[in-house]
Amino acid sequence: MKVYPQDIEEKLGFDQIRAHLIRFCQSERGEDLAKKAKPADRFDVVIKWLNQAKEMIHLKGSSEDKVSFEFPDMDEYLTRIKVPGSFLEPSDFHELKRGVNSLTSWVLFFQKKGSEYPELYNISNFIEIDPNLAIHIDKAIDDRGEVKDSASRELSEIRSKISKSERAVRSAIQKILKKAKEDQFTDDDSTLTVRDGRLVIPVKAEHKKRIQGFVHDESATGQTVYLEPGEVLDLNNQVRELKYAEKREVIRILIELSDHVRANLSDLKNGAGLLEKLDFIHAKALLADLINGVVPKVEKTNAFRMVNAVHPLLYLSHKESGRSVVPLNLSLDHERRILIISGPNAGGKSVALKTVGLLQYMLQTGLPIPVNEESTLGTFSSIFIDIGDTQSIEDDLSTYSSHLTSMKHFLEHTDKKSMFLIDEFGKGTEPQFGGAIAESVLSELNKKKAYGIVTTHYQNLKKVGDETPGLVNGAMKYDLDALEPMFELEVGKPGSSFAFEIAGKIGLPKEIIESSRLKIGSSHVAYDQLLNQLEKEKAKYDKLNKKLERDHADIAKVRKDYEDLRGMLKEDKKRILKEAKKEANHILENANKDVERVIREIKESKASKERTKAAREELANKKSKFQEKPAKSKISLKEGDVVRVVGQETAGTIQKIKGKQAEVLFGSMKSIVSISKLEKAQVAPQVSYQKKVKKLGLDISQKMANFDHEISIRGMRADEAMNKVETFIDEALLVGVDEIRIVHGKGHGVLREIVRNITKGHPSIASVEDEHADRGGAGISIIKLQ
């Protein structure tokens, strides 16, 4: 892919992304691949790279597919072992063994699951590896990188003899050292030491002739010599000869093992190439985990739609300080190919531009990027950028001349498959001329059908963005109340620089600001004011839209609660019908048994009149129990009627009627009673209030003493809850309390709705409200009585 300028990676920040990628590689060859990684312009190559990374990410997260993620270097060892007769050191075999084990696990994995990971399988080149090679190495080399005693029978015997001889030497020389201490030929704290691979004892120089032996060394001061006593000389010689034998046997084992490896050299070299590629792809997966990267949908087009895109370096920086990053949402297509972003300084224009450039560069290098998976991206054949101060002392170029040089390159090399990014378009010279040149360059790039993003403060470019097909304006949102940037991109309208507002916020004198407004001209000020007004209107309607969304959510919740209640009532209806049918069957079955029994008794009594009459009366009594009692005719009640509660004897007079409730005066006590529970009565007998109350079976003083101001209806069916709530309210009014609590729980809100429907419009209820959030909130209703 063509890029401009040469330091594009440093300007976009890709050099820091590459540093992370290199850090995640385990092998030098993997690091080399990371250092050489470049973006591709071929669609199929980009797709292949991305799918490799996607499969590795999936594999790392899989709990079923197990494989080694160790990728050690093998090339160095394979090169040294190439010459026949050469051999590797035990520590080298230890590292080689790690590579062979990892390679073997991948070969076995591809044999079993290759079809599920096609892109990773394709890079394996169908490598085959001797399954016994790792076993042979493991038998000879331990985890510390040393040859095992069990590598051969001869080596085991030699090392056993060495151990035995060394114990004998140590035992003998310890005795000599002890005697030397007793004779004061050496210091009391002296210990055995080793010189030239032989055990020796430290002896004072003036006493060295007192002990027969061979002097191997002396201290720096010359006051101490290190002497091998003559008594252990033969034993030490024996140990040395055994160690020579051990060395010869180890070399023989290593040569034999090296020959085995050399026989598989071709496959191992191919395997080393596979491991370095897997190491590089694995580093991509680790990078994706670091920056929350994903592999989005990629199409063979230049258009793209980035959803919740985040600048990875900004994300990492903010993550360390515990801050969040405002995501970028942006799309360009063949109708809106070039985006002109305007807005205040430090509002996020340059970050938005760099985010698009860096993510596109990463994508075409085959790296996962931090966007939402719903994003769709394309590929470009070239990416050209003009970002930052590109002043060149060597080429005698000023900042603006350098920008013009970049524009010249863009115009000469841009086509419909190019992406260009220009920060602060036209800056570096007089705005009148810089804006005009920028407008002309932009028009030419638009004619070439290229895709791009530019940032600017120039009004003429904003105007071109509104009027020219292929171009679209965008603004970085700004909080006009707090006068702070929001770092959100809004496509479709230009942005204001908010120069006067920001100047006012930082305390610039008002007369200076007003003078500036006059100098800039009414047309520019009016345009800026219009943008500000549009921003305020947009913020207003955004709030209204959010409120509307909340209202829709509330309506949906109420609808769901209603559907739940309806479903619950349907279930209750089914249950009641089922129970009724069951009871009817039971009654019918018992009735049949009774009839059969009566017939049998009549036959047995030979149809005597008395027995027959008694049997018929018994059947009639049972029949009357199950016959439906005639419904009482509905009576109309009015104020002044004498009534009584159904099932009670005490009568009272109706004072008021409100809907389905009536206020009844029982003696000197008023009570609110449901009309459905009342029936007409004779004129109330003239008895005292206390007698009336006792006749009803109600001891008011006792009821007031035992009355509980709170009930719970949680877990009840709708009909049970309604009856209990109505009765509770009646009793509360009877004993004259001011406030009661009904615990119904939150759940879907069905029971709460039942309580609210019962209390709504009740003449003796002043208000109903939820309990305080700390004490139950919407799960408890507080009812205040009049």
Side-chain angles (χ1 to χ4, degrees):
M1 184 174 71
K2 299 175 183 176
V3 297
Y4 180 89
Q6 291 183 353
D7 61 348
I8 185 172
E9 292 190 0
E10 288 77 12
K11 289 184 176 294
L12 289 177
F14 185 80
D15 58 328
Q16 298 177 58
I17 297 295
R18 189 189 298 277
H20 285 296
L21 195 62
I22 293 171
R23 177 169 60 87
F24 286 132
C25 291
Q26 300 177 29
S27 64
E28 290 185 6
R29 293 283 294 273
E31 290 179 2
D32 288 341
L33 291 178
K35 291 174 182 177
K36 296 174 183 177
K38 295 291 182 184
D41 56 0
R42 283 179 49 189
F43 177 77
D44 58 331
V45 174
V46 173
I47 290 296
K48 180 181 72 174
W49 289 349
L50 290 173
N51 284 337
Q52 289 172 355
K54 188 175 183 178
E55 289 177 7
M56 184 64 80
I57 292 171
H58 181 270
L59 182 57
K60 279 185 65 62
S62 173
S63 58
E64 298 178 0
D65 303 325
K66 300 297 182 183
V67 72
S68 172
F69 290 110
E70 284 193 342
F71 307 100
D73 279 308
M74 295 173 59
D75 289 297
E76 176 188 354
Y77 310 117
L78 297 178
T79 300
R80 284 161 47 188
I81 209 173
K82 186 175 180 181
V83 179
S86 60
F87 62 89
L88 297 177
E89 294 297 324
S91 58
D92 298 336
F93 270 113
H94 175 65
E95 290 301 311
L96 185 63
K97 182 177 70 171
R98 288 179 58 234
V100 171
N101 284 336
S102 179
L103 184 59
T104 301
S105 77
W106 279 97
V107 170
L108 293 175
F109 169 74
F110 285 137
Q111 289 173 357
K112 295 178 181 179
K113 296 290 188 79
S115 59
E116 298 178 24
Y117 300 88
E119 291 297 342
L120 292 178
Y121 178 67
N122 287 339
I123 66 172
S124 68
N125 295 323
F126 313 106
I127 292 172
E128 292 185 0
I129 192 77
D130 182 359
N132 295 318
L133 180 57
I135 296 174
H136 275 81
I137 297 176
D138 192 57
K139 283 183 177 180
I141 309 297
D142 63 17
D143 292 336
R144 296 173 299 172
E146 297 178 358
V147 178
K148 294 180 178 179
D149 293 351
S150 58
S152 72
R153 184 175 57 83
E154 292 80 2
L155 183 61
S156 178
E157 292 177 355
I158 292 170
R159 286 183 172 172
S160 177
K161 291 177 181 179
I162 290 174
S163 179
K164 185 177 179 181
S165 298
E166 284 181 339
R167 285 197 300 271
V169 170
R170 183 171 293 274
S171 177
I173 205 168
Q174 282 282 14
K175 292 179 181 178
I176 296 171
L177 177 61
K178 182 179 180 182
K179 182 68 168 57
K181 288 180 180 179
E182 291 174 354
D183 295 338
Q184 297 185 349
F185 295 160
T186 185
D187 296 329
D188 290 339
D189 59 351
S190 297
T191 59
L192 298 179
T193 186
V194 177
R195 289 292 187 272
D196 297 332
R198 302 170 79 91
L199 275 173
V200 296
I201 59 174
V203 177
K204 294 177 181 178
E206 63 268 24
H207 300 303
K208 63 182 179 181
K209 293 184 179 180
R210 297 288 187 93
I211 302 175
Q212 291 185 353
F214 180 77
V215 175
H216 285 272
D217 198 2
E218 66 179 5
S219 65
T221 61
Q223 294 180 357
T224 303
V225 297
Y226 297 97
L227 182 143
E228 180 184 6
E231 291 92 330
V232 297
L233 188 62
D234 291 339
L235 288 174
N236 267 332
N237 287 337
Q238 185 180 350
V239 170
R240 175 164 286 193
E241 288 175 3
L242 286 170
K243 288 193 172 182
Y244 286 146
E246 176 193 26
K247 186 176 181 180
R248 289 192 297 271
E249 180 60 17
V250 165
I251 291 174
R252 186 194 68 77
I253 292 170
L254 294 177
I255 290 174
E256 184 179 284
L257 197 57
S258 299
D259 290 341
H260 196 157
V261 172
R262 197 176 295 110
N264 293 273
L265 195 59
S266 178
D267 289 337
L268 288 175
K269 282 188 174 181
N270 291 333
L274 171 62
L275 287 184
E276 71 186 45
K277 293 174 185 175
L278 291 172
D279 185 19
F280 175 51
I281 299 170
H282 180 252
K284 292 182 182 182
L286 294 177
L287 176 67
D289 184 60
L290 178 70
I291 63 174
N292 286 335
V294 300
V295 176
K297 184 179 180 182
V298 182
E299 297 180 344
K300 203 170 186 177
T301 178
N302 302 124
F304 63 85
R305 183 173 72 96
M306 291 187 180
V307 180
N308 291 340
V310 173
H311 194 293
L313 300 178
L314 189 63
Y315 166 76
L316 294 177
S317 173
H318 282 205
K319 185 179 179 181
E320 291 180 359
S321 57
R323 294 179 293 165
S324 60
V325 179
V326 179
L328 173 70
N329 292 281
L330 169 65
S331 62
L332 294 180
D333 53 41
H334 67 282
E335 293 181 353
R336 303 193 309 177
R337 290 175 286 99
I338 300 175
L339 174 65
I340 303 170
I341 304 178
S342 51
N345 287 322
K349 300 189 301 295
S350 298
V351 172
L353 179 138
K354 289 181 179 180
T355 299
V356 173
L358 177 57
L359 297 190
Q360 188 66 45
Y361 198 93
M362 289 173 63
L363 182 86
Q364 294 193 225
T365 311
L367 303 180
I369 58 176
V371 296
N372 188 285
E373 290 182 336
E374 296 178 359
S375 303
T376 303
L377 283 88
T379 57
F380 295 90
S381 62
S382 56
I383 297 180
F384 303 140
I385 70 168
D386 181 41
I387 299 175
D389 188 354
T390 52
Q391 179 173 304
S392 173
I393 297 175
E394 293 82 359
D395 297 330
D396 194 25
L397 291 177
S398 67
T399 298
Y400 187 63
S401 298
S402 180
H403 286 310
L404 289 179
T405 301
S406 297
M407 296 307 102
K408 178 174 179 292
H409 183 91
F410 288 11
L411 293 171
E412 290 175 350
H413 298 92
T414 300
D415 57 29
K416 63 181 181 180
K417 295 182 179 179
S418 299
M419 170 186 278
F420 64 88
L421 306 170
I422 305 174
D423 193 24
E424 299 293 350
F425 201 13
K427 72 174 182 179
T429 189
E430 292 185 40
Q432 182 179 358
F433 301 116
I437 293 175
E439 184 177 335
S440 299
V441 171
L442 190 61
S443 176
E444 190 63 28
L445 292 173
N446 188 30
K447 290 178 183 178
K448 291 176 177 288
K449 307 295 183 183
Y451 286 71
I453 301 175
V454 302
T455 66
T456 188
H457 289 285
Y458 291 163
Q459 297 287 2
N460 65 313
L461 295 184
K462 300 177 188 179
K463 185 177 179 182
V464 169
D466 278 336
E467 299 174 348
T468 308
L471 274 59
V472 63
N473 273 309
M476 301 308 298
K477 296 177 71 174
Y478 196 77
D479 188 333
L480 288 169
D481 295 326
L483 289 178
E484 292 179 350
M486 299 171 67
F487 305 109
E488 293 181 28
L489 174 65
E490 184 177 9
V491 177
K493 70 178 186 65
S496 169
S497 298
F498 299 101
F500 294 136
E501 288 78 6
I502 294 173
K505 181 185 179 183
I506 65 174
L508 207 63
K510 290 184 178 179
E511 57 270 19
I512 297 295
I513 296 175
E514 291 303 320
S515 174
S516 302
R517 289 183 187 273
L518 294 173
K519 291 179 182 297
I520 198 172
S522 60
S523 61
H524 283 83
V525 172
Y527 183 77
D528 218 37
Q529 288 176 341
L530 177 61
L531 288 178
N532 293 353
Q533 186 61 33
L534 286 173
E535 187 68 31
K536 289 180 180 178
E537 292 293 326
K538 177 69 167 51
K540 174 184 173 183
Y541 285 109
D542 281 345
K543 290 180 180 178
L544 289 174
N545 281 333
K546 289 179 180 177
K547 184 179 182 301
L548 188 60
E549 288 174 2
R550 288 195 300 269
D551 291 345
H552 279 307
D554 291 342
I555 291 171
K557 183 178 180 300
V558 171
R559 182 186 179 95
K560 184 178 183 303
D561 290 344
Y562 168 74
E563 294 293 340
D564 289 344
L565 178 58
R566 214 172 98 178
M568 186 172 68
L569 292 176
K570 279 185 178 180
E571 289 298 320
D572 283 348
K573 181 180 177 182
K574 288 179 183 178
R575 178 181 55 78
I576 292 168
L577 287 173
K578 185 177 179 181
E579 290 176 357
K581 287 178 181 179
K582 184 177 178 181
E583 181 66 19
N585 289 332
H586 180 69
I587 292 169
L588 183 60
E589 184 180 345
N590 289 338
N592 288 334
K593 290 180 180 178
D594 288 338
V595 171
E596 290 173 359
R597 179 177 54 78
V598 169
I599 291 171
R600 186 171 64 252
E601 290 177 356
I602 292 173
K603 286 181 179 180
E604 290 174 354
S605 62
K606 297 181 179 179
S608 67
K609 290 183 179 180
E610 294 79 5
R611 186 69 190 89
T612 301
K613 183 180 179 181
R616 284 177 176 173
E617 288 178 353
E618 183 182 352
L619 286 176
N621 290 335
K622 290 193 174 183
K623 179 181 178 183
S624 65
K625 287 183 181 178
F626 302 112
Q627 283 181 333
E628 185 177 354
K629 294 181 180 179
K632 292 183 180 180
S633 58
K634 189 174 180 180
I635 59 173
S636 60
L637 300 175
K638 62 183 182 298
E639 294 179 5
D641 284 350
V642 178
V643 294
R644 65 184 177 188
V645 178
V646 177
Q648 303 292 338
E649 296 180 6
T650 302
T653 305
I654 295 178
Q655 302 296 304
K656 292 180 183 178
I657 293 179
K658 292 185 179 180
K660 297 179 180 180
Q661 307 282 336
E663 182 181 296
V664 184
L665 179 64
F666 293 99
S668 61
M669 182 181 68
K670 291 182 180 180
S671 180
I672 303 298
V673 185
S674 175
I675 290 176
S676 61
K677 296 181 180 180
L678 297 175
E679 62 183 3
K680 284 191 175 183
Q682 300 298 324
V683 177
Q686 299 298 315
V687 296
S688 68
Y689 170 66
Q690 286 295 331
K691 287 182 179 179
K692 289 181 181 180
V693 172
K694 287 182 179 179
K695 205 169 184 181
L696 278 167
L698 300 173
D699 186 338
I700 295 299
S701 59
Q702 182 182 356
K703 198 161 190 67
M704 289 180 68
N706 297 330
F707 183 74
D708 190 346
H709 289 63
E710 176 178 302
I711 63 166
S712 174
I713 59 173
R714 288 178 294 186
M716 292 186 178
R717 299 195 306 274
D719 54 343
E720 293 176 336
M722 289 170 67
N723 289 333
K724 187 164 184 178
V725 170
E726 288 177 349
T727 303
F728 182 52
I729 293 173
D730 289 345
E731 291 180 357
L733 291 169
L734 185 63
V735 299
V737 299
D738 296 328
E739 180 179 292
I740 56 176
R741 290 160 49 94
I742 300 178
V743 181
H744 43 67
K746 297 178 182 177
H748 296 296
V750 176
L751 294 177
R752 180 180 182 274
E753 194 66 25
I754 288 172
V755 172
R756 297 306 164 96
N757 288 337
I758 292 173
T759 55
K760 185 177 181 182
H762 197 293
S764 296
I765 293 179
S767 65
V768 183
E769 58 188 21
D770 290 338
E771 176 61 277
H772 189 278
D774 293 339
R775 297 189 291 274
I780 300 174
S781 290
I782 305 296
I783 301 174
K784 297 185 184 298
L785 304 174
Q786 292 182 348

